[in-house]
Amino acid sequence: MNGDLDDHVDAAGIGDLTTWPIEVSAKINVAVDDWQESRKVGRLWAGDAALWTGYDESKWLGWLRTFRDRGSRHELDTVSEVASDGAFDDVLVLGMGGASLCSEVLGLSFSDLPGTPRLHVLDSTDPSQIRCCAERLTLDRTLFIVSSKSGTTLETNILLQYFLALVSASMPTGTVAGERFLAITDPGSELERFAIDQKFRRVFHGVPSIGGRYSALSHFGMVPACAMGVDVGRLLARAEDMQDRCTDAKPVRQNPGAMLGLALGVAALEGRDKMTFAASPGLRPFGTWVEQLIAESTGKEGQGIIPIDGEALTSPTSYGDDRLFVYVRDETAPDGVQDEAFLRLRRAGFPVLSISLRDRYDLGGEFFRWEFATAVAGSLLHVNPFDQPDVEGSKEAMRRLTKVCETLGQLPEELPVCFDADTGLSMFADDSNAVAVGAGNFDRRPSLRDAVSAHLGRVESGDYFAILAYLQLSDRHMKVLQKLRHLIRDATGSATCLQFGPRFLHTTGQAYKGGPNSGVFLQITCDDSEDLDVPGQQYTFGVVKAAQARGDLSVLGERGRRAIRIHIQGDVYTGLESLASIVGQSIGQTG
């Protein structure tokens, strides 16, 4: 490890907190002493709900022990045979949020395993993304894993209907399409009943006492891992080692999960609530999982840690005092440029947590460490880290819109608050946000550039800016959206988030609606060049996506959030480039 970084590794494996700003490190020491004297680690393991809000937290702690279940290990052995028997070239996971994100991390981190199926995750209702995914697969050599804890997740269920219909149409008469499908769901769910009826190859049960985002080391994460050939025994052995280090048998200062959680929680209470995450190239997918865990668990009741993942590192002078940095470093393949960037941050006085992994199998331990740390941070913030009260709001708004569509045959018409004829971009907002960007007078609408400039001008010190893109998640789109977020970061000095819908509705969307009101939001939607029908329904995937975006914007407005929507007509990439150009011009105006 690079010298300076190596000097700051401590017994808890998270770096030397004495290098932090004195006002933060002093309060972390107070919190550590309190947890030690009050035996709070032991109380966490015992399920003492009083550590949090005293509500139902004790019912949601199954994640603390589930991966030591030997019966579950035997079940996983049966899945590993799928990876080794050569029957499948691809594994496609259909799921949303915590039910699928661990699969995505492992699929990308272990993508080079020889002679095993490739793993893909589909968690979008964007028609282009669904079509692109289907075209990459050879249907008769694909295993489908349908992942839904409740068994009622709309997106997962309509994706299941779509691919079940595709597989059925491609199979010879008399064969059973369900043989190509596995289900992971809680016992007795609607999905389990459907899977039995359709003669699925196998149903794996989730643990009712484990919420979706804490399910990485349960069947939701490990069944797909086995199917793609990951050595799950080795992965879970690392998790068991971390679990042993997080018990109350060791002092709090030597507990990796507790120390991480106390550092994150205290920093947030001290105003450093923008947890900026970076990892070595081979571990970068892990940030997406950490992001959803932290945001959905802590972002509620006006409190929360806002995770910032995927933002390119820049000069320390570009960051405000609301930042805390986390660096997850792969010792086998470190990035020298990253090492130097984090050394500069530390020398500039920023709080930096440095976590070293021996190799990618250490992800097993990190899944547990971060789950434990998130529970600890939730205790300091006095929130229930196992519920998601604000996620349901967007779902309900979307359901209302799809019901209207079933009746009228289309979504209700909406009028833009301003429109740019040259680019085909239009802006939508509720009445309050329309007034705030100068578009409240119907007879005197501002130019789109002026309205965007006004919206960017709403960013204040300590705020974050979130881009919510209801678009196909592609490398091409990602490149221009990253350019857009960095333009905004460099101009406003704010931390920036980039999310793709509808997947974030099940994860970080909780913090955006229920966490601190320090977010400024730019939602981006588009026309779909080709839509896809949902089998057995009167609506299409494009309609579902549009309803989700509208419902999301509506709830943001209801919660008093600063939010607008930009809609792209025509080619999406061209529209994104036009939007980036307008933002660049607007930044010149605000500057």
Side-chain angles (χ1 to χ4, degrees), residues 59-77:
K59 298 179 181 179
W60 296 101
L61 295 172
W63 53 273
L64 283 169
R65 298 179 177 86
T66 184
F67 51 88
R68 289 188 184 268
D69 185 335
R70 299 304 166 187
S72 294
R73 295 286 187 92
H74 178 69
E75 285 189 297
L76 292 175
D77 289 340

Side-chain angles (χ1 to χ4, degrees), residues 268-314:
L269 291 171
E270 291 300 301
R272 292 187 179 271
D273 61 346
K274 312 304 187 304
M275 188 203 76
T276 305
F277 186 95
S280 296
L283 300 172
R284 278 177 188 155
F286 183 56
T288 305
W289 181 86
V290 169
E291 184 180 50
Q292 59 90 32
L293 175 70
I294 291 289
E296 191 173 8
S297 299
T298 69
K300 56 201 73 171
E301 299 180 23
Q303 298 286 337
I305 300 166
I306 304 299
I308 310 298
D309 179 50
E311 196 182 63
L313 294 170
T314 188

Side-chain angles (χ1 to χ4, degrees), residues 143-392:
L143 177 70
F144 297 86
I145 300 179
V146 188
S147 185
S148 173
K149 177 178 173 62
S150 67
T152 59
T153 307
L154 173 70
E155 298 94 330
T156 304
N157 287 342
I158 61 179
L159 288 169
L160 166 58
Q161 295 296 339
Y162 179 78
F163 281 98
L164 188 61
L166 279 186
V167 173
S168 297
S170 70
M171 294 183 71
T173 303
T175 54
V176 179
E179 280 293 316
R180 306 268 178 81
F181 289 78
L182 304 177
I184 312 171
T185 188
D186 277 3
S189 74
E190 290 183 21
L191 175 57
E192 180 179 31
R193 292 190 287 273
F194 181 84
I196 292 170
D197 180 67
Q198 294 295 314
K199 297 181 172 57
F200 275 25
R201 186 186 189 103
R202 184 74 184 267
V203 176
F204 293 90
H205 284 149
V207 178
S209 60
I210 302 177
R213 60 189 176 278
Y214 289 84
S215 65
L217 295 167
S218 74
H219 280 153
F220 285 99
M222 296 302 101
V223 168
C226 284
M228 69 170 291
V230 173
D231 184 346
V232 167
R234 187 177 173 189
L235 197 71
L236 292 178
R238 303 290 179 90
E240 290 182 1
D241 177 65
M242 182 61 72
Q243 181 195 52
D244 290 340
R245 295 170 63 197
C246 290
T247 66
D248 61 348
K250 293 183 179 295
V252 171
R253 290 187 187 279
Q254 295 178 23
N255 183 316
M259 287 301 295
L260 175 59
L262 292 172
L264 295 175
V266 169
L269 291 171
E270 291 300 301
R272 292 187 179 271
D273 61 346
K274 312 304 187 304
M275 188 203 76
T276 305
F277 186 95
S280 296
L283 300 172
R284 278 177 188 155
F286 183 56
T288 305
W289 181 86
V290 169
E291 184 180 50
Q292 59 90 32
L293 175 70
I294 291 289
E296 191 173 8
S297 299
T298 69
K300 56 201 73 171
E301 299 180 23
Q303 298 286 337
I305 300 166
I306 304 299
I308 310 298
D309 179 50
E311 196 182 63
L313 294 170
T314 188
S315 166
T317 59
S318 298
Y319 298 118
D321 59 7
D322 58 345
R323 297 271 194 162
L324 171 151
F325 293 89
V326 177
Y327 181 24
V328 176
R329 187 178 187 272
D330 184 349
E331 292 182 1
T332 63
D335 183 318
V337 174
Q338 278 185 326
D339 284 352
E340 291 301 321
F342 274 96
L343 286 174
R344 286 194 296 273
L345 288 167
R346 179 174 283 144
R347 289 166 182 163
F350 284 96
V352 175
L353 290 166
S354 300
I355 297 174
S356 294
L357 274 61
R358 292 165 291 178
D359 56 44
R360 57 192 173 180
Y361 277 97
D362 266 354
L363 286 171
E366 290 308 306
F367 286 131
F368 185 84
R369 184 213 298 257
W370 281 86
E371 288 172 354
F372 196 92
T374 301
V376 171
S379 175
L380 266 67
L381 296 171
H382 301 294
V383 298
N384 182 344
F386 311 115
D387 68 357
Q388 47 284 328
D390 298 284
V391 167
E392 187 59 33

Side-chain angles (χ1 to χ4, degrees), residues 28 32 126 186 263 265 328 345 371 413 503 562:
I28 291 174
V32 170
D126 181 88
D186 277 3
V328 176
L345 288 167
E371 288 172 354
E413 185 180 359
R503 61 188 278 169
R562 293 159 284 176

Side-chain angles (χ1 to χ4, degrees), residues 4 45 83 100 105 107 177 294 416 435 465 475 499:
D4 242 0
W45 280 96
S100 63
V105 171
I294 291 289
V435 169
F465 194 97
D475 291 342
Q499 304 290 338

